Amino acid sequence: MSYLTGTPAGSAHPGTTDVRTGLGVPGLAHPLVAPAEWGELARPGRPLHWVALDVFDGPGSRPDPSCLESAGRLRNAGIRVLGRIDAMYGTRAFAEVISEAQRYLDWYQVDGFLLDRCPADGATLPGLRRTAGALRTLHDAPHVVLDHGVHPHPGYAELADQLVTFSGPWSDYRWSQVAEWTAEHPPERFCHFVHGVPRGHLDEALRIARWQGAATIWFTDGTERGGARDAWETMPGYWDDIVSRIGTGVSE
């Protein structure tokens, strides 16, 4: 298979890495819609790197008590909470993005930001550099994740703590290839979000992520319905299986 050729990104020896894989939750439904799911995320011992909070396509127009409570439970459990902001592929006004980030901080005390639908080409680098720089002035060491969904221009790696270099269906992921430049960075710099992963292919998906050098993942059997974000709104049907596999380091 194409993804098993060469040396895995960020690893000196094929098939090995000391980095523990963990979960990044990109867009679970509102806590009022999915209270049990949010409660499950806050349980001790869950292998979570971070959870993104999306109140109402952003932070909303006023503080939401249920979101504040859910975010607080996660943070009290030692889990990083990120505010999701739609970058609209670089077309949103700078002031709008910063305003949403500030509301997330003021209302939910988030630990950083997930910039969804980020542009990926080199021409938009200056604009994203300005945005990322401004975000870092709002909070002490905020965790910034740029969700491109594809391998972007390598210059974006300088702007964020993590890049989402794949976001899409299993049918594409299982034949995907990693960009060569990612080998210059450790696996903890990259995230993969994959929907429509059948239970029987979960181990294969985990192997792909490790060979391609992505330490933060979100694999689900959920699928797109009315829009691209629908796939992330529910927990995977095999939640216990994936927690068990990642928590014990099982990958092969």
Side-chain angles (χ1 to χ4, degrees):
M1 296 182 181
S2 60
Y3 58 81
L4 295 181
T5 60
T7 302
S11 176
H13 303 285
T16 63
T17 174
D18 294 330
V19 177
R20 176 60 62 86
T21 300
L23 301 171
V25 185
L28 199 63
H30 191 281
L32 289 178
V33 178
E37 288 86 344
W38 282 91
E40 173 64 23
L41 292 178
R43 288 180 60 191
R46 295 300 178 243
L48 294 166
H49 287 169
W50 49 261
V51 175
L53 175 67
D54 187 359
V55 181
F56 186 72
D57 198 23
S61 58
R62 60 180 62 85
D64 185 307
S66 60
C67 288
L68 179 59
E69 179 182 1
S70 295
R73 291 175 65 186
L74 288 171
R75 297 185 72 246
N76 289 339
I79 299 166
R80 183 183 282 133
V81 178
L82 308 182
R84 176 192 169 268
I85 300 173
D86 189 354
M88 297 176 62
Y89 303 108
T91 64
R92 288 197 73 185
F94 171 81
E96 289 182 7
V97 173
I98 302 306
S99 175
E100 287 200 356
Q102 189 65 63
R103 276 180 277 158
Y104 270 122
L105 286 168
D106 292 343
W107 296 345
Y108 307 107
Q109 292 81 54
V110 297
D111 305 292
F113 310 98
L114 169 66
L115 267 65
D116 196 13
R117 299 204 297 171
C118 275
D121 59 279
T124 52
L125 260 172
L128 262 293
R129 181 177 292 110
R130 180 191 181 201
T131 298
L135 291 177
R136 294 193 183 282
T137 67
L138 301 179
H139 186 277
D140 290 337
H143 191 79
V144 177
V145 180
L146 302 183
D147 186 353
H148 308 278
V150 297
H151 285 95
H153 185 285
Y156 284 97
E158 302 173 3
L159 310 184
D161 297 282
Q162 291 185 299
L163 304 179
V164 180
T165 54
F166 186 94
S167 181
W170 167 245
S171 57
D172 291 341
Y173 188 61
R174 67 183 311 191
W175 305 114
S176 63
Q177 296 187 27
V178 66
E180 292 184 2
W181 64 264
T182 62
E184 301 173 6
H185 304 275
E188 57 263 31
R189 300 294 309 281
F190 301 105
C191 313
H192 288 173
F193 303 153
V194 189
H195 59 75
V197 181
R199 182 188 296 268
H201 290 276
L202 184 54
D203 285 334
E204 181 183 355
L206 288 168
R207 285 195 294 270
I208 295 172
R210 287 190 167 103
W211 275 88
Q212 291 196 5
T216 301
I217 62 167
W218 185 250
F219 294 161
T220 179
D221 49 358
T223 57
E224 294 180 346
R225 298 182 300 276
R229 293 191 55 78
D230 290 348
W232 317 129
E233 290 187 347
T234 60
M235 300 282 271
Y238 38 70
W239 171 252
D240 290 340
D241 288 345
I242 195 169
V243 167
S244 176
R245 283 168 167 78
I246 294 176
T248 57
V250 174
S251 64
E252 302 301 331

